Amino acid sequence: GLGDVYKRQQQALAVVVLAAGQGTRMRSQTAKVLHELSGIPLLGHVLATASALQPEHLAVVLRHHRDAVAGVVTDYVPDAILVDQDDIPGTGRALELALAALPSTFAGDVVVMSGDVPLLDSDTIQAVVDHHRSQGSALTLMSTIPEDPTGYGRVIRNDRGDVTGVVEESDANAAEKQITEINSGVYVMNRAHAHAAVAGLTTTNSQGEKYLTDIARALSSAGHRVSGVLVEDSWLLEGINDRVQLSEAQARLTRMTIRGWQLLGVTVADPASTMIDLSVELAPDVTLLPGVQLKGDTRIDSHATIGPDSTLVDTIVESHATVVRTHSLGAHICEHASVGPFSYLRPGTVVGVEGKVGAFVEVKNSTLARGAKVPHLSYIGDADIGEGTNIGAGAITANYDGETKHRTTIGSQVRTGSHTVFVAPVELGDGSYTAAGAVVRRRVEPGALAMSVAPQRNLEGWVEHNREGSPAAIAAKKAGKSKK
């Protein structure tokens, strides 16, 4: 009946995310809320938390860096309501515009979050929503007691423990500055009460802004109940205002992420030197040695060992593979393969089962088949290398003619001598060989040996004649006398 409809309306939830601030303390040309933690923008963390609350509506207030921020919002929440803040400053004005942008039929509760508070989780917010509803409050704010309350709005309570207001530091008197409980900027409020309260906000304060915090006093003065829920873990509510706070939040999130993976069976030898993006997937029995960074859509399968000192971005490493002192972007390393040390894998690289990419080797957009090896000091670009083939030290695929990239195709069980240059496009048949120093410009038939033959000439006496008196000339002269 109508009673059920009304109850459902009361239980409905909307979320408003405030992301209009300039973030001047970041000293950056990038919007503050777009700086990243563990590979995700600050705002992305907040939007993920907001979405986990399963709201009927999600509105985001924008102003500075408007288009860039809006692009991230629509990436994470395609059906979000985008609200543009006007020239009237302040978070109170931001909420006023957001409430007006919600459908007029919405009569539930509104959660207000800040776009720069990335570590707050949905369970904590849901607990506050439940408390808000059980108390029948018009407004419930989340508060905490930090180590240093300087700079934050103080929460004023009456004898019953209800909140009567929030005083910003710049407007606080000496007694109010002694209060240690601070406002976090996260609220739950009844839509109708909040709409009436924000309409009465003014800019008559030290900052000349419409303070969102003023609605606590307005609702309390009007006889409505305003509650405050004290959150013990103050780090959950910490906003990011500068790069020092960004790095502190990153360190905390990294510790939490690594601990989570350790409890799921991943060995992390040195958590202090390890970074793992939230998008990374790890299997049990993966081992991460010191100095490892795993970023983007990286996936590591069981019994693989990564590190020390390796950075993998958007890279897949299959089981039992080893990756040592390597930088990898968009590569796929198959089972039992070995990479490194000092290897550079670029996008499109596939190292096949039991394949090897060794010391000081760069590979780009190339496929090594099962058991293929490029052990030392080589550049392999735009190439396909067959099963069991061994590429000698110092090999180079000359894949670029100045205008176009060309492919090199090397068959299975090929053996190439040291310092071979493959001038693409070129093909080497199965079982073929190249001699040391060969420059391969045309097809090599299966089983053939490719050579670039030039007779060696020795010019007798050249050093003594051209480098007279040098250590080399003296040594040569002495050697000549001893032979006689």
Side-chain angles (χ1 to χ4, degrees):
L2 289 175
D4 291 334
V5 171
Y6 178 73
K7 189 174 182 180
R8 281 198 302 274
Q9 287 180 335
Q10 292 296 97
Q11 294 297 308
L13 196 67
V15 176
V16 171
V17 176
L18 306 181
Q22 191 167 1
T24 52
R25 280 180 278 173
M26 295 297 282
R27 298 187 178 274
S28 176
Q29 294 181 346
T30 300
K32 175 172 74 169
V33 296
L34 300 189
H35 284 262
E36 292 189 350
L37 277 184
S38 294
I40 296 173
L42 299 180
L43 183 57
H45 289 272
V46 176
L47 292 173
T49 299
S51 298
L53 295 169
Q54 298 182 308
E56 287 189 17
H57 310 286
L58 197 161
V60 183
V61 184
L62 313 168
R63 182 164 172 80
H64 293 283
H65 302 277
R66 192 263 180 208
D67 291 344
V69 176
V72 169
V73 173
T74 52
D75 282 346
Y76 281 88
V77 187
D79 59 350
I81 302 168
L82 301 180
V83 182
D84 289 296
Q85 185 159 358
D86 54 21
D87 292 333
I88 301 172
T91 50
R93 178 59 174 171
L95 178 60
E96 185 177 9
L97 294 168
L99 291 173
L102 293 175
S104 58
T105 53
F106 177 79
D109 292 316
V110 178
V111 173
V112 179
M113 305 173 65
S114 297
D116 62 356
V117 180
L119 300 184
L120 180 59
D121 62 291
S122 58
D123 288 347
T124 301
I125 297 174
Q126 187 62 57
V128 175
V129 171
D130 295 342
H131 176 87
H132 170 80
R133 288 171 171 169
S134 69
Q135 296 297 309
S137 301
L139 171 72
T140 301
L141 59 82
M142 293 173 69
S143 68
T144 192
I145 299 176
E147 289 184 13
D148 181 6
T150 304
Y152 295 99
R154 308 305 205 276
V155 176
I156 314 297
R157 293 180 184 259
N158 62 20
D159 294 340
R160 296 191 310 275
D162 290 338
V163 175
T164 58
V166 176
V167 179
E168 294 297 333
E169 166 124 335
S170 55
D171 296 299
N173 60 37
E176 289 165 341
K177 287 180 180 177
Q178 296 303 308
I179 297 171
T180 56
E181 184 183 8
I182 63 146
N183 175 45
S184 71
V186 182
Y187 310 86
V188 186
M189 59 189 72
N190 172 274
R191 192 253 176 104
H193 290 319
H195 191 78
V198 294
L201 295 178
T202 69
T203 57
T204 54
N205 51 58
S206 64
Q207 301 295 312
E209 298 181 359
K210 282 193 174 185
Y211 287 158
L212 173 52
T213 49
D214 285 348
I215 68 169
R217 188 181 303 278
L219 288 169
S220 178
S221 300
H224 299 293
R225 185 171 193 184
V226 178
S227 301
V229 176
L230 184 65
V231 177
E232 287 190 19
D233 292 324
S234 58
W235 58 265
L236 281 170
L237 300 171
E238 286 175 357
I240 308 298
N241 293 303
D242 57 39
R243 299 192 201 228
V244 174
Q245 293 172 338
L246 183 68
S247 67
E248 290 168 350
Q250 180 62 76
R252 182 178 292 278
L253 183 55
T254 297
R255 286 197 301 271
M256 293 163 58
T257 302
I258 289 173
R259 183 175 186 274
W261 285 119
Q262 288 173 319
L263 294 175
L264 290 173
V266 174
T267 294
V268 182
D270 182 24
S273 67
T274 304
M275 293 191 71
I276 305 173
D277 277 359
L278 294 177
S279 50
V280 169
E281 296 179 32
L282 302 174
D285 289 317
V286 162
T287 297
L288 306 180
L289 298 178
V292 168
Q293 297 181 55
L294 305 178
K295 305 175 76 64
D297 294 324
T298 291
R299 189 193 86 211
I300 316 291
D301 292 345
S302 61
H303 300 285
T305 300
I306 312 299
D309 305 324
S310 296
T311 299
L312 276 55
V313 183
D314 300 331
T315 293
I316 294 173
V317 182
E318 295 185 5
S319 61
H320 297 277
T322 59
V323 181
V324 181
R325 289 195 168 87
T326 291
H327 194 94
S328 174
L329 307 171
H332 188 139
I333 301 164
C334 296
E335 293 181 20
H336 294 278
S338 67
V339 177
F342 308 111
S343 301
Y344 180 26
L345 306 185
R346 292 167 57 191
T349 294
V350 178
V351 183
V353 175
E354 298 174 348
K356 178 182 178 67
V357 172
F360 302 101
V361 173
E362 177 180 348
V363 185
K364 187 269 294 187
N365 192 30
S366 298
T367 299
L368 280 65
R370 185 185 191 100
K373 295 178 172 60
V374 186
H376 343 267
L377 302 158
S378 298
Y379 169 68
I380 303 297
D382 302 299
D384 298 294
I385 299 175
E387 191 168 321
T389 286
N390 188 87
I391 305 297
I396 294 174
T397 53
N399 56 329
Y400 183 50
D401 64 8
E403 295 182 354
T404 308
K405 301 282 179 68
H406 300 282
R407 289 197 78 78
T408 296
T409 303
I410 300 174
S412 62
Q413 302 301 334
V414 172
R415 302 289 181 267
T416 72
S418 297
H419 198 53
T420 296
V421 178
F422 307 94
V423 182
V426 71
E427 181 179 350
L428 284 76
D430 294 348
S432 59
Y433 273 56
T434 69
V439 180
V440 182
R441 293 186 171 89
R442 56 188 176 85
R443 174 178 166 79
V444 180
E445 297 298 326
L449 170 65
M451 298 183 293
S452 297
V453 178
Q456 180 175 323
R457 297 174 60 205
N458 296 340
L459 300 178
E460 298 290 337
W462 185 93
V463 172
E464 290 183 66
H465 185 265
N466 290 279
R467 300 288 186 268
E468 187 177 356
S470 69
I474 294 168
K477 190 172 184 179
K478 192 179 296 184
K481 285 180 180 177
S482 65
K483 284 174 73 175
K484 293 176 182 176

